[in-house]
């Protein structure tokens, strides 16, 4: 059964040859002047060499994070509807690549549900207090399910009692759905509503259970636990006489007279209509909302379309309901669901480059830094043409990185790059690693996020990603690692010396997510380092893989892998990959430092290409001095910024950005700025549109 | 209102003990369609199957199911246990690793090149949709109980390990993995408004909403490149599907029961999907359903059957963990058998058992997972598809093109396919009645 296909082996060998080659970063040659900035801008115009070819941004559906953040900023909602959407596909390491953001019918149906929930929850003024009790769900000894009656109620034979928590004194309407029946000689059933032992009102039950009646009474309920009862006052059961009566109750509802207005309503209701006939105000609401949701001023055609819909719906449903439906329509519109919708097409040489539309650029910027829509300040800058100048763009980047919304880069970029997403599905063996609990998993995610955020937003050099003098921990993480407790349940910053665990190579999230449930995987760790930090693409293993023994009697993981590499088929790649990961063996399968494995002292000798090293901090130093690290980071951030997988035309720009970084200051935030200033981010090619 | 007290209480107790979903039973069965439609349910099994404990040693009508597939014993007379299919599309798929190669084309039989983003062909279930044009509320459904995980080597591998249904190139149909979302999907828009008049008016309003956004997409399309036009075509087709659903409200004979909980442990998640699948078929909400018990390359651990290692790691763990792997494979098959039991017990509007009108295809992504064998797939076909299939035996093929299985199934569904995918050219007569 174990067969090796010649083709696969050939691919494998050629695929791994690159691993021994040093990275191809061209240190020679001057950085071309940033091309294409219009007159009066800070960048100046320059001649561009032929190989610079721009590729247009493809039509880009909002991914899950972008959708949730956008509706948060648009409607002030705390709903996170995208949690119910299927996960977006990762391409090139990120889940914001346009090619993979498809829109199947099942997702569109979820968008429709979400739009409805968002419109209703944002626009509807709701009671301040409500409670809903299904009689069946409570159940009492003296009742039995009245399923015969359309499956909605309980048949009462005594008193139904439930307790409702009332958050403050409220004038409240109590309603009970009820139905009844009686034999000829038995009395019409009578039910009474009680609160805290006080009878409020009695009702004759004349409706059949199949078409029940609603009992209703208003009362001031005092704050606290209130006992609400429904009594059956004249229950008669004489089987011998074949005489009796019956009452069935369904849901009990409590609704306060006082209301609350959702915070997002004022974002939509930019004017308060004087009444349903105030068409001018309702139309202004519709147009303003569409303009904000579309993230650009409405064109004449768009205005016409929105107005036509508002008028049609107002005629049939009334203006307030029409507003809700228009909000739903806008949230389903391609102008909302796709970003930068008219952003230029095809690809083209420098002579055919033009600036991106101001508002498309504003969206590109906000979705890069915030994973959300532009705010008013950014839209205003787009409106005045301020984004066409280098200084204008720099000012926005600085402002936007200071804004807390830039934490979106943690989730969208850093979590994907640094293995946090994969941590979700890691299942370390609970017997071998009892300290790996769900709170630990959450803390490890936070550790990575906080660390990346600190380097980005404190203006730290990119090299601080590898060799910083600080890290983050909490009592939980420190206790688990047998380190001194920082005295904080929340994550706090601590100093880290050159020999202590520090930097991205020491982060628990990727160390755990690249391990197997019971032991470390130097193979996966090595692959992670080579791919994520040095930009290699490791080819897939060939079919017919001999199993790697998992039991400890087969020796340490290092010994087992050495055995594996004796197979020449495996050796081609594993001789390159394994030694990188083996140098990280000081960390166990859940990222804890250790001195021994199976009783033997840990061997942390590793090798990167031809360079030998001992342990994670030594590898970090090698990476810090390796130009491929910054280039790889640049390439990844660039692909994330543009929201598409890297194509060959991008290489020249990525090389230029890499070379420009030291001159700009070498900070991670500088890299963000440089990418924003680069032609692929700001400009677009001119090409023909489809017929 | 007067009535006999005895009848009154006797009726009251009648529905009490039934599980939640049983209340969704079509209430006016006799008034509905007199014949059962043909249905397809694909039950995908990730990470291959260990042949020694999966494939029966003997062929023919007298055979024994080994340990991992023994859960299918109650259905022996209703199934065909096949082995020896050559998954050529998997072998020839390019620029991607083995689990993506096995899973991505398992229903498309298309040898894709992963260097072209989202390259693939149409999957068998979507072919049925395209050719048979169902008028059910959902043309097809894609569900799964997978958890996001690493996705193998190569470009866009998650799409290939996580999607088995494809409308075609660039249009993977990823499964919904939350039973609650799937439940809401089934019953969403079942009517806004308290009265039928209000609901009718609201349907009209929502049609205006959808017509408006379609119009916007069409005018946008004129301003974009061809590639982006494809994305807008997809948008337009999705809007049309929703519009169709609005204009064909769910049958009044089928009402939702209790929604599944938002958070479920894994076996409960799988079982909740089983109930929803039965419901979707029973209420004729859809006729073509694909389900992935886990994504391809599943790394899930199954401690509840004393199988602790990640699934994929176990397949390469050798003899030391073979017992854990077999317990896991047995559990997945047992779950499939549970679903078959529910299908058998459930009756559709015509009064026939769902298992009689359905072709259930339980199919793994590869043969022996320890060597990523793509040349010995062993799927199981259960049910008679309204008498068009001839079950009750084990069939051992030798490198039979997998495409021929789909050409044969197509025949059973009344379609003549000259070719399907990379190698499907002929009908396997022994499968058909």
């Amino acid at each position: 059964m174990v067969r090796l296909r010649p083709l696969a082996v050939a691919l494998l060998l050629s695929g791994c040859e690159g691993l021994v080659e040093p990275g191809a970063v061209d240190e020679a040659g001057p950085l071309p002047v940033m091309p294409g900035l219009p007159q009066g801008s800070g960048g100046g115009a320059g001649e561009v060499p032929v190989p610079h070819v721009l590729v247009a941004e493809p039509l880009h559906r909002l991914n899950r994070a972008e959708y949730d953040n956008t509706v948060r900023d648009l409607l002030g909602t705390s709903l996170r509807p995208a949690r119910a959407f299927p996960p977006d596909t990762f391409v090139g390491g990120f889940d914001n690549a346009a090619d993979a953001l498809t829109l199947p019918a099942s997702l569109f149906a979820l968008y429709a549900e979400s739009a409805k929930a968002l419109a209703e929850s944002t626009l509807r003024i709701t009671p301040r207090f409500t409670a809903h009790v299904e009689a069946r769900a409570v159940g009492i000894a003296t009742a039995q399910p009245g399923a015969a009656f359309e499956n909605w109620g309980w048949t009462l034979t005594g008193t139904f009692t439930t307790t409702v928590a009332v958050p403050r004194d409220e004038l409240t309407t109590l309603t009970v759905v009820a139905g009844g029946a009686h034999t000829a000689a038995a009395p019409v059933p009578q039910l009474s509503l009680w609160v805290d032992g006080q009878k409020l009102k009695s009702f004759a039950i004349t409706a059949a259970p199949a078409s029940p009646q609603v009992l209703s009474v208003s009362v001031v309920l005092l704050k606290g636990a209130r006992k609400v009862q429904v009594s059956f006052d004249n229950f008669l059961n004489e089987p011998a006489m074949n005489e009796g009566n019956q009452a069935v109750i369904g849901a009990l509802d409590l609704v306060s007279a006082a209301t609350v207005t959702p915070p997002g309503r004022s974002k939509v209701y930019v004017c308060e209509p004087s009444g349903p006939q105030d068409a001018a105000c309702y139309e202004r609401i519709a147009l303003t909302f569409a303009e904000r949701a579309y993230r650009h001023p409405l064109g004449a055609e768009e205005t016409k379309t929105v107005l036509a819909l508002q008028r049609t719906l107002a005629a049939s449903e009334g203006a307030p309901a029409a507003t809700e439906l228009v909000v739903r329509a806008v949230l389903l519109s391609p102008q909302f669901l796709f970003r930068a919708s008219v952003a230029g097409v095809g690809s083209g040489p420098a002579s055919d480059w033009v600036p991106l539309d101001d508002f498309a650029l504003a969206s590109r910027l906000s979705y890069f830094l915030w994973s959300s829509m532009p705010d008013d300040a950014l839209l205003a800058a787009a409106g005045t043409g301020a984004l066409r100048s280098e200084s204008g763009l720099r000012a926005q980047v600085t402002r936007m990185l200071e804004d807390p919304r830039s934490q979106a880069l943690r989730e969208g970029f850093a979590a994907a790059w640094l293995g946090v997403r994969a941590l979700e599905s890691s299942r370390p063996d609970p017997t071998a690693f009892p300290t790996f609990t769900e709170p630990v998993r959450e803390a490890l995610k936070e550790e990575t996020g906080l660390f990346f955020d600190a380097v980005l937003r404190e203006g730290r050099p990119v090299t601080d990603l590898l060799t910083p003098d600080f890290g983050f921990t909490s009592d939980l993480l420190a206790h688990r690692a047998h380190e001194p407790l920082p005295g904080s349940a929340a994550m706090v910053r601590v100093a880290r010396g050159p020999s202590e665990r520090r930097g991205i190579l020491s982060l628990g999230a990727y160390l755990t997510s690249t391990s197997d449930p019971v032991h470390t995987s130097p193979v996966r760790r090595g692959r992670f380092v080579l791919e994520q930090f040095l930009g290699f693409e490791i080819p897939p293993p060939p079919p017919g893989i001999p199993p790697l023994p998992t039991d400890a009697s087969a020796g340490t993981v290092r010994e087992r892998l050495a055995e594996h590499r004796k197979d020449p088929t495996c050796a081609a790649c594993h001789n390159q990959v394994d030694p990188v990961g083996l140098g990280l063996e000081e960390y166990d399968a859940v990222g804890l430092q250790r001195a021994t494995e199976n009783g033997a002292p840990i061997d942390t000798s590793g090798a990167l290409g031809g360079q030998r090293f001992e342990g994670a901090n030594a590898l970090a130093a090698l990476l810090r001095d390796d130009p491929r690290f910054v280039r790889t980071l640049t390439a990844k951030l660039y692909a994330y910024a543009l929201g598409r997988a890297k194509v060959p035309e991008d290489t020249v720009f990525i090389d230029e950005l890499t070379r420009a970084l030291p001159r700009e200051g070498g900070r991670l935030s500088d890299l963000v700025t440089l990418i924003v200033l680069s032609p692929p981010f700001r400009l677009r090619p001119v090409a023909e549109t489809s017929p | 209102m007067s009535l006999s007290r005895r009848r009154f209480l006797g009726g009251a107790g009648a529905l009490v003990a039934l599980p939640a979903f049983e209340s969704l039973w079509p209430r006016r069965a006799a008034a509905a369609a007199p014949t059962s439609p043909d249905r397809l349910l694909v039950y995908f099994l990730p990470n291959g199957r260990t042949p020694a404990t999966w494939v029966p040693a003997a062929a023919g009508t007298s055979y024994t199911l080994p340990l991992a597939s023994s859960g299918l014993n109650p259905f022996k007379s209703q199934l065909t246990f096949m082995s020896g299919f050559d998954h050529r599309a998997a072998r020839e798929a390019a620029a991607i690793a083995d689990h993506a190669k096995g899973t991505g084309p398992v229903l498309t039989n298309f040898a894709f090149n992963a260097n072209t983003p989202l390259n693939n062909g149409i999957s068998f279930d979507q072919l049925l949709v395209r050719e048979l044009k169902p008028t059910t509320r959902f043309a097809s459904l894609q569900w799964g109980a997978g958890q996001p995980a690493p996705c193998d080597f190569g470009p866009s591998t998650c799409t290939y390990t996580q999607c088995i249904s494809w409308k075609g190139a660039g249009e993977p149909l990823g499964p919904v993995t939350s039973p609650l979302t799937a439940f809401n999907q089934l019953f969403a828009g079942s009517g806004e408004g308290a009265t039928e008049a209000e609901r009718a008016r609201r349907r009209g309003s929502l049609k205006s909403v959808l017509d408006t956004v379609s119009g916007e997409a069409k005018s946008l399309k004129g301003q974009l490149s061809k590639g982006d036009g494809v994305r807008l075509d997809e948008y337009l087709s999705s809007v049309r599907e929703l519009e169709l659903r609005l204009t064909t409200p769910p049958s009044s004979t089928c009402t939702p029961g209790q929604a599944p909980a938002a958070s479920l442990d894994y076996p409960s998640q799988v079982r909740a999907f089983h109930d929803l699948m039965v419901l979707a078929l029973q209420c004729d909400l859809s006729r073509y359903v694909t389900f992935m018990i886990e994504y391809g390359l599943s790394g899930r651990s199954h401690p509840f059957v004393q199988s602790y290692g990640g699934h994929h790691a176990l397949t390469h763990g050798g003899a030391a963990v073979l017992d854990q792997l077999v317990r896991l494979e047995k559990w997945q098959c047992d779950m499939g058998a549970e679903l078959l039991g529910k299908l058998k017990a459930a009756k559709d509007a015509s009064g026939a058992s769902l298992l009689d009108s359905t072709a259930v295809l339980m199919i793994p992504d590869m043969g022996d997972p320890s060597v990523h064998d793509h040349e010995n797939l062993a799927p199981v076909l259960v049910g008679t598809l309204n008498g068009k299939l001839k079950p009750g035996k084990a069939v051992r093929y030798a490198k039979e093109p997998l495409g021929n299985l789909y050409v044969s199934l197509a025949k059973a569904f009344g379609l003549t396919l000259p070719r399907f995918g990379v190698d499907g050219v002929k009908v396997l007569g022994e499968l058909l009645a």
Side-chain angles (χ1 to χ4, degrees):
Chain A
M1 194 58 68
V2 180
R3 270 182 302 271
L4 297 171
R5 297 186 179 83
L7 179 63
V9 175
L11 276 174
L12 170 77
L13 292 174
S14 66
C16 279
E17 275 169 8
L19 295 180
V20 292
E21 297 290 319
V25 177
D26 181 9
E27 294 292 345
L31 175 73
V33 179
M34 281 289 180
L37 281 177
Q39 312 297 322
S41 73
E47 211 48 49
V48 182
V50 182
H52 289 73
V53 173
L54 276 191
V55 178
E57 182 189 28
L59 198 59
H60 190 137
R61 173 175 66 72
L62 300 184
N63 71 9
R64 289 207 300 179
E66 291 166 346
Y67 184 95
D68 270 351
N69 292 342
T70 302
V71 298
R72 176 200 65 201
D73 293 344
L74 186 64
L75 293 166
T77 182
S78 55
L79 296 182
R80 296 287 173 265
R83 287 185 185 166
F85 302 166
D88 299 307
T89 299
F90 281 75
V91 167
F94 302 103
D95 64 353
N96 73 340
D99 271 342
L101 293 167
T102 57
L103 180 41
S106 57
L107 178 59
F108 190 77
L110 292 172
Y111 280 149
E113 283 304 298
S114 162
K116 176 171 184 278
L118 286 168
E120 290 177 357
S121 67
T122 304
L123 301 181
R124 288 190 183 172
I125 295 170
T126 53
R128 187 164 61 191
F129 160 69
T130 61
H132 177 84
V133 182
E134 287 283 341
R136 275 181 304 165
V138 176
I140 45 172
T142 53
Q144 44 186 306
F149 306 111
E150 304 299 308
N151 203 19
W152 59 258
W154 271 80
T155 305
L156 284 187
T157 54
T159 297
F160 171 86
T161 303
T162 187
T163 305
V164 176
V166 182
R168 68 176 101 181
D169 298 357
E170 289 280 11
L171 173 60
T172 304
T173 302
L174 272 68
T175 57
V176 176
V177 179
H182 61 100
T183 53
V188 173
Q190 177 182 298
L191 299 184
S192 297
L193 295 184
W194 304 64
V195 170
D196 291 339
Q198 201 176 353
K199 189 192 277 192
L200 302 178
K201 197 172 176 184
S202 298
F203 303 85
I205 306 304
T206 53
S211 52
Q213 68 195 91
V214 177
L215 321 180
S216 170
V217 63
S218 285
V219 62
V220 174
L221 294 181
L222 300 181
K223 177 182 172 182
R226 301 273 75 89
K227 187 167 75 172
V228 180
Q229 291 172 297
V230 184
S231 65
F232 190 174
D233 302 334
N234 57 357
F235 174 49
L236 180 76
N237 184 24
E238 297 288 355
M241 314 281 290
N242 199 24
E243 293 296 345
N245 60 10
Q246 201 76 70
V248 182
I249 62 165
L252 167 70
D253 275 287
L254 291 81
V255 177
S256 72
T259 58
V260 284
T261 303
R265 190 174 183 276
S266 61
K267 287 178 181 277
V268 179
Y269 274 75
V270 288
C271 51
E272 198 52 52
S274 57
Q277 303 310 317
D278 189 352
C281 176
Y282 278 110
E283 287 172 8
R284 203 180 130 209
I285 288 170
L287 290 174
T288 311
F289 180 70
E291 183 158 307
R292 289 181 58 233
Y294 295 174
R295 308 171 285 264
H296 62 243
L298 299 185
E301 196 63 30
E302 288 169 329
T303 302
K304 215 172 106 190
T305 304
V306 171
L307 278 183
L309 183 64
Q310 167 71 29
R311 286 168 188 167
T312 306
L313 294 173
S316 67
E317 300 254 1
T323 298
E324 229 176 65
L325 286 161
V326 167
V327 166
R328 287 165 69 174
V330 166
L331 294 176
L332 289 176
S333 160
Q335 298 280 17
F336 171 75
L337 293 172
F338 296 103
R339 62 183 240 220
S341 42
V342 190
V345 289
S347 65
S351 55
D352 287 341
W353 296 352
V354 295
L356 205 59
D357 169 84
D358 288 314
F359 291 93
L361 180 57
S363 271
R364 191 177 272 194
L365 195 51
S366 70
Y367 282 98
F368 173 29
L369 300 183
W370 291 347
S371 300
S372 186
M373 61 185 284
D375 64 355
D376 290 345
L378 184 55
L379 289 174
T384 60
L387 302 184
R388 290 184 208 164
S389 74
E390 182 179 333
S391 59
L393 276 174
R394 283 180 179 276
Q396 288 298 331
V397 171
T398 304
R399 178 184 77 86
M400 292 174 73
L401 284 180
E402 281 167 6
D403 188 290
R405 276 172 284 193
S406 65
Q407 286 187 6
L409 280 165
R410 259 163 74 162
E411 282 307 304
F413 177 74
W417 180 44
L418 296 174
V420 174
R421 297 288 185 95
L423 185 66
E424 286 295 346
S425 50
S426 282
R427 295 288 176 273
D429 182 58
T431 317
F433 302 106
T435 65
F436 189 88
T437 58
E438 287 310 305
V440 166
R441 188 195 303 271
E442 291 309 309
L444 293 181
K445 288 193 226 165
E446 208 187 341
E447 178 196 21
T448 298
L450 284 172
F451 176 67
F452 178 85
D453 206 47
V455 176
L456 174 66
R457 304 210 299 158
E458 292 170 12
R460 292 175 177 274
V462 288
T463 49
D464 266 12
L465 288 167
L466 291 159
T467 53
D469 58 4
F470 68 98
F472 289 89
T473 192
S474 66
D475 286 349
L476 177 69
L477 290 186
H479 177 262
R480 148 182 196 269
H482 306 294
E483 288 166 3
L485 303 189
S488 167
M491 298 287 283
V492 286
R493 183 189 298 249
V494 289
R496 292 271 166 82
S499 62
E500 293 180 280
R501 69 178 301 160
R502 60 174 187 165
I504 49 178
L505 290 181
S506 77
L507 293 172
Y510 100 90
L511 288 167
T512 306
S513 68
T514 55
S515 293
D516 290 329
V518 290
H519 56 71
T520 61
S521 170
V523 181
R524 290 168 64 195
R525 282 185 185 168
R527 179 186 163 202
F528 187 88
V529 169
L530 290 170
E531 289 190 335
Q532 300 301 94
F533 302 146
L534 292 174
F536 287 105
E537 286 180 28
I538 313 288
I545 309 158
L548 183 67
T550 53
D551 51 316
S553 63
T556 62
V557 169
R558 178 181 289 266
E559 288 160 355
R560 281 175 259 167
L561 280 172
E563 195 61 32
H564 191 62
R565 285 195 302 274
K566 283 182 184 165
D567 184 331
T569 326
C570 304
C573 274
H574 285 272
N575 278 345
Q576 303 300 325
V577 175
D578 300 2
V580 180
L582 285 167
L584 299 168
E585 279 289 273
E586 69 199 84
Y587 295 109
D588 71 11
V590 290
L592 288 171
Q593 279 180 308
R594 59 180 175 175
T596 59
E597 183 194 5
N598 295 342
I602 276 291
D603 178 353
T604 62
S605 58
L608 175 65
Q611 298 165 290
R612 306 206 157 271
F613 66 89
E614 286 281 343
N617 284 334
L619 177 57
L622 284 182
L623 293 182
R624 183 192 54 202
D625 300 333
D626 190 326
R628 291 174 298 187
F629 173 75
V630 173
R631 189 178 185 284
T632 303
L633 169 61
T634 304
K636 290 193 178 289
L637 195 56
Y638 172 95
Y640 177 79
L642 293 179
R644 59 172 173 79
K646 192 160 73 80
V647 293
E649 288 87 339
D650 293 322
T651 305
V652 60
F653 294 110
I654 291 167
D655 286 342
E656 285 174 8
L657 287 164
T658 307
R659 282 198 300 269
L661 182 61
R663 226 170 304 163
E664 179 76 14
R667 293 171 292 251
L668 183 53
S669 53
D670 294 331
L671 189 53
V672 171
T673 308
L674 284 175
I675 288 172
V676 169
L677 293 176
S678 71
F681 195 88
R682 293 181 298 115
L683 308 178
R684 66 177 176 88
V686 177
E688 85 283 15
T689 54
S690 64
Chain B
M1 179 182 186
S2 292
L3 71 167
S4 147
R5 170 153 182 78
R6 193 158 312 179
R7 236 182 89 206
F8 197 93
L9 287 181
L15 287 173
V16 178
L18 295 178
F21 286 126
E22 289 291 335
S23 63
L24 297 162
W25 194 280
R27 287 200 210 133
R28 271 165 286 178
T35 55
S36 300
D38 293 341
R39 303 173 163 110
L40 174 77
L41 195 159
V42 175
Y43 203 91
F44 172 78
L45 305 167
N47 292 340
R49 294 292 107 168
T50 306
T53 45
W54 175 252
V55 181
T61 53
S62 174
Y63 65 94
T64 306
L65 287 163
L67 181 59
S69 53
S70 60
L72 295 172
N73 264 322
F75 307 97
K76 264 180 98 175
S77 65
Q78 284 155 290
L79 66 81
T80 305
F81 205 113
M82 301 165 286
S83 56
F85 278 115
D86 175 22
H87 195 190
R88 189 171 136 194
R91 288 193 287 112
E92 294 183 356
I96 202 154
D98 270 329
H99 286 273
K101 284 181 176 184
T103 309
V106 73
L107 293 181
T108 66
N109 204 38
F110 183 91
F112 57 78
N113 183 329
N115 281 330
T116 305
L118 307 186
N119 183 220
N120 208 338
I122 187 168
S123 56
F124 181 68
D125 57 313
Q126 295 306 306
L127 180 92
L128 294 182
V129 170
R130 192 183 73 192
E131 297 300 320
L132 301 175
K133 302 181 178 59
T135 55
T136 48
R137 204 158 140 70
F138 297 88
S140 63
L141 292 166
Q142 293 79 36
W143 290 333
Q147 63 184 359
C151 299
D152 222 343
F153 297 78
S156 314
T157 46
C158 288
T159 314
Y160 293 115
T161 53
Q162 297 178 356
C163 301
I164 54 173
S165 290
W166 291 68
K167 270 177 115 164
E171 295 194 71
L173 300 173
V176 169
T177 58
S178 151
L180 179 58
T181 304
F183 178 88
N184 290 334
Q185 177 189 14
L186 282 186
F187 296 105
S190 47
E192 295 180 29
T195 65
E196 184 45 43
E198 279 174 30
R199 283 193 288 272
R201 188 179 66 206
R202 185 48 64 100
R203 278 199 291 275
S205 298
L206 293 176
K207 189 171 181 314
S208 301
V209 164
L210 295 178
D211 287 347
T212 299
V213 299
S214 297
E216 286 183 308
K218 281 173 197 150
S219 79
L220 199 54
K221 210 178 142 188
Q223 307 167 40
L224 297 174
S225 69
K226 288 199 177 68
D228 289 341
V230 170
R231 185 62 81 235
L232 283 175
D233 284 339
E234 188 189 20
Y235 174 93
L236 286 166
S237 124
S238 295
V239 175
R240 267 195 305 277
E241 268 199 43
L242 185 67
E243 192 162 335
L244 186 70
R245 204 168 303 152
L246 282 176
T247 49
T248 51
S251 155
S252 59
T253 60
C254 237
T255 51
Q258 202 174 341
S263 174
L264 293 168
D265 62 35
Y266 177 53
S268 307
Q269 183 192 6
V270 172
R271 289 191 171 103
F273 272 120
H274 287 170
D275 289 333
L276 289 170
M277 282 188 266
V278 171
L279 183 63
L281 297 180
Q282 191 173 33
C283 297
D284 206 23
L285 296 172
S286 188
R287 292 170 188 174
Y288 313 115
V289 183
T290 58
F291 177 71
M292 305 177 80
I293 195 167
E294 245 296 348
Y295 294 135
L297 194 72
S298 163
R300 190 190 283 276
S301 160
H302 299 66
F304 45 84
V305 286
Q306 292 75 52
S307 177
Y308 302 101
H311 186 170
H312 181 249
L314 291 177
T315 64
H316 297 297
V321 293
L322 186 61
D323 56 334
Q324 289 192 51
L325 178 62
V326 173
R327 280 198 294 274
L328 184 169
E329 292 181 355
K330 178 174 186 331
W331 178 80
Q332 289 187 335
C333 181
D334 289 351
M335 292 307 276
E338 254 188 55
L339 172 61
L340 294 174
K342 286 177 175 170
L343 290 171
K344 191 172 179 180
K347 292 182 172 38
D348 69 8
S350 76
S353 161
L354 280 181
L355 196 52
D356 291 337
S357 59
T358 308
V360 183
L361 178 65
M362 296 177 74
I363 188 164
D365 60 337
M366 54 178 64
D368 184 348
S370 70
V371 292
H372 292 178
D373 181 11
H374 290 306
E375 292 176 316
N376 284 291
L377 240 59
V380 186
L381 186 60
V382 199
T384 64
L385 195 65
N386 291 312
K388 287 159 198 136
L389 297 175
K390 193 172 65 186
K393 58 183 176 291
V395 184
R396 291 181 82 93
Y397 294 108
K399 304 247 170 86
E400 183 68 30
L402 180 64
N404 290 342
L405 172 60
Y406 296 118
V407 172
S408 312
L409 274 173
K411 179 95 192 306
F413 276 90
L415 296 174
T416 303
L417 289 188
R419 187 170 185 89
F420 185 73
V422 69
D423 60 4
V425 290
K426 74 164 188 185
V427 171
L428 303 170
E430 59 279 8
L431 300 180
L432 306 182

